[in-house]
Amino acid sequence: MEDLISAISTASGRGGVAIVRVSGTGALALAKKMFSHKGEYLPNMLYPGEIDCGSFRDYGMCVYFRAPKSFTGEEVVEFHCHGGQEIARGILKKTFSLGARAAQRGEFTKRAFLNGKLSLSAAEGMAEMINAESLSQIRAGYSLYTESLTDEGKRLQAVLQTCLASIDADVDYPEEDLNADSRIELSEKLKDTAQSLENLLKTYRAGKKIRTGVTVALCGAPNAGKSSLLNALLGYEKAIVSDEAGTTRDLVEGNLEIKGVLFRLVDTAGLRESDHAIEREGIRRAEKAIAAADVIVYLKEDGEDFAFPADTPCITVGAKCDLKRRNDCDVVLSSLTGEGLEAFRELLYSRGYGQESDVFLLEERHYRAVKDAAEAVSAARSAVESGLPAELYAEDVKRAWESLGTISGETASETVITEIFEKFCVGK
């Protein structure tokens, strides 16, 4: 890993500043060959000067990071130049001519992981922040980046390691009759660990909503006020509003952010019997959107009642409260006057998301790792309480420990590590 790698670390296109990063043994020696600063290069100091790109020069800055106190843990140099594709490309080509090679996708971050500067889950948290579409995704990604999930995984691994030590004692010194007392203590530790793992698994549903947003289906009879509600929530005219029934025949979508969480609103066709082929197709799409929604908003009309999926939260809304009031709904509102909209937003957040936590399972691989660990701990505890030989449940405890280790990357396979960093852009 000591070979020099180089890449443009800022987004392509025009901008105020572009950054070219070089990492590996000899990065500083390379910088001295193409940057005009002649004195000593102190770490973490920006030096102004000319950058010699061969066919042209640019006036910019150079900063040197001494190993291991750098992002990658290696010797790192960055050239900060004027923004623009050709300037940055010219600097990059110059670094190649001086012995660097093109960095692969995510190779800087992969080197940081391999050099112990961050865990595998922290690297994934960085990617979450880069790709964030909402404040909640930034916050959750940052929590992952600052090792919150890794720390919880290591805490549980430490408990399992203690369990293994107890099991080994039972195996190595059966004549000491440690089984009676140690089995009770071991069972309690496994019980607490299982509960912690179960609590983590419960955060995955909220974690998925953080990543992809909460899908909200606005549904009800024709002219119930669905399109008006969509427009009122978005603050502009997204959907066509008309007194004519069946105006909305295709799905109309818009995004709303509440307390940093992204809600993806879907205005659907009015639910009713229809002989019109196009309207029937709109109703079919509405039913499909309802089935896929994370939360259903049902604008209730007199005499109307629909059966919705039992496991999906539903909010009943009495719309057009400026014209009439209802007392059989979760909330009443007026899209025209704005009355009740804030209460509706609070209810939508509570039922559609409503989970606060310091640690979330954002990635499917994290969920699988915790689920596998939970199953192994459960199997071990059952074996302990059944009085089975220690050698049998020791394997389950080891399997749980190894599963949790894949979160930090401690026990992750090279294939998994490679797949994760290949998702990164070049230069990161």
Side-chain angles (χ1 to χ4, degrees):
M1 282 201 313
E2 293 186 352
D3 56 327
L4 276 172
I5 58 172
S6 180
I8 300 171
S9 290
T10 43
S12 61
R14 296 177 182 177
V17 177
I19 298 175
V20 178
R21 177 182 290 164
V22 183
S23 181
T25 302
L28 180 58
L30 180 148
K32 290 179 178 179
K33 294 177 182 178
M34 57 185 295
F35 193 68
S36 63
H37 180 71
K38 299 302 181 184
E40 182 182 3
Y41 282 77
L42 296 176
N44 311 319
M45 296 287 289
L46 274 168
Y47 292 99
E50 285 190 341
I51 307 171
D52 182 2
C53 305
S55 57
F56 67 92
R57 291 174 179 266
D58 183 35
Y59 193 85
M61 293 186 174
C62 179
V63 59
Y64 159 59
F65 301 97
R66 179 184 295 157
K69 296 182 178 181
S70 70
F71 174 68
T72 63
E74 303 172 333
E75 192 173 282
V76 173
V77 165
E78 289 181 354
F79 297 103
H80 295 220
C81 62
H82 288 99
Q85 292 184 349
E86 290 309 311
I87 296 175
R89 286 174 181 171
I91 295 172
L92 183 63
K93 289 178 182 178
K94 181 67 174 180
T95 66
F96 293 161
S97 71
L98 294 175
R101 67 166 175 81
Q104 299 173 357
R105 285 181 174 272
E107 189 170 4
F108 291 105
T109 309
K110 184 176 183 179
R111 289 188 175 200
F113 163 69
L114 294 175
N115 288 324
K117 303 297 290 186
L118 78 173
S119 70
L120 200 56
S121 63
E124 291 167 298
M126 184 190 304
E128 289 291 338
M129 288 191 289
I130 292 171
N131 297 317
E133 295 183 11
S134 66
L135 289 175
S136 61
Q137 195 174 353
I138 295 174
R139 291 195 293 258
Y142 185 74
S143 175
L144 198 58
Y145 176 63
T146 53
E147 308 287 14
S148 59
L149 181 58
T150 294
D151 290 345
E152 177 64 7
K154 288 184 175 180
R155 182 186 73 81
L156 295 175
Q157 279 186 294
V159 175
L160 293 172
Q161 193 67 51
T162 302
C163 293
L164 284 171
S166 175
I167 294 170
D168 288 342
D170 283 352
V171 172
D172 294 338
Y173 303 101
E175 69 280 0
E176 297 294 332
D177 195 26
L178 299 175
N179 288 339
D181 293 333
S182 63
R183 279 177 184 267
I184 295 175
E185 182 181 356
L186 180 60
S187 179
E188 286 300 313
K189 287 181 178 179
L190 292 174
K191 178 182 177 182
D192 291 343
T193 302
Q195 185 60 58
S196 295
L197 292 170
E198 184 62 30
N199 290 340
L200 269 180
L201 289 172
K202 289 178 180 178
T203 69
Y204 183 56
R205 185 169 183 176
K208 287 182 68 176
K209 291 177 182 178
I210 288 174
R211 294 194 70 196
T212 62
V214 181
T215 304
V216 182
L218 304 178
C219 62
N223 287 338
K226 302 181 295 297
S227 297
S228 295
L229 178 57
L230 176 69
N231 292 341
L233 292 171
L234 297 181
Y236 63 93
E237 299 296 317
K238 174 76 173 184
I240 298 174
V241 177
S242 171
D243 292 334
E244 181 181 343
T247 300
T248 302
R249 296 185 176 182
D250 204 350
L251 303 180
V252 181
E253 302 180 7
N255 293 340
L256 172 69
E257 197 167 295
I258 306 175
K259 298 181 182 180
V261 178
L262 182 64
F263 287 79
R264 302 187 183 277
L265 309 177
V266 183
D267 179 19
T268 65
L271 300 175
R272 66 171 180 176
E273 295 294 329
S274 175
D275 295 328
H276 196 288
I278 296 178
E279 187 177 359
R280 283 203 309 272
E281 175 60 21
I283 294 170
R284 186 192 68 80
R285 295 186 183 187
E287 292 170 344
K288 184 177 180 181
I290 291 169
D294 295 311
V295 59
I296 298 167
V297 175
Y298 170 40
L299 282 74
K300 198 169 183 180
E301 290 279 277
D302 290 330
E304 296 286 349
D305 194 17
F306 296 98
F308 298 116
D311 58 346
T312 304
C314 183
I315 300 172
T316 56
V317 175
K320 307 176 185 178
C321 71
D322 52 308
L323 301 178
K324 63 177 180 178
R325 293 271 174 178
R326 303 188 65 96
N327 56 15
D328 58 346
C329 296
D330 294 317
V331 63
V332 294
L333 57 82
S334 170
S335 300
L336 179 63
T337 67
E339 181 183 350
L341 284 179
E342 188 56 37
F344 172 74
R345 291 188 185 93
E346 289 289 336
L347 190 57
L348 184 59
Y349 179 86
S350 175
R351 295 197 185 173
Y353 175 67
Q355 180 170 352
E356 298 294 342
S357 175
D358 294 329
V359 182
F360 283 102
L361 296 181
L362 295 177
E363 303 285 342
E364 184 181 349
R365 81 170 193 91
H366 299 163
Y367 176 80
R368 290 201 308 267
V370 174
K371 193 171 188 300
D372 288 346
E375 291 174 352
V377 168
S378 178
R381 185 184 173 203
S382 177
V384 170
E385 294 178 350
S386 299
L388 297 178
E391 292 90 340
L392 296 180
Y393 51 78
E395 290 303 315
D396 289 319
V397 176
K398 288 177 183 176
R399 179 161 64 90
W401 184 90
E402 290 175 353
S403 294
L404 291 174
T406 63
I407 293 175
S408 66
E410 183 179 2
T411 60
S413 68
E414 180 61 33
T415 300
V416 169
I417 293 170
T418 299
E419 287 178 353
I420 288 173
F421 289 109
E422 283 181 346
K423 296 177 183 178
F424 281 66
C425 61
V426 174
K428 193 60 181 172

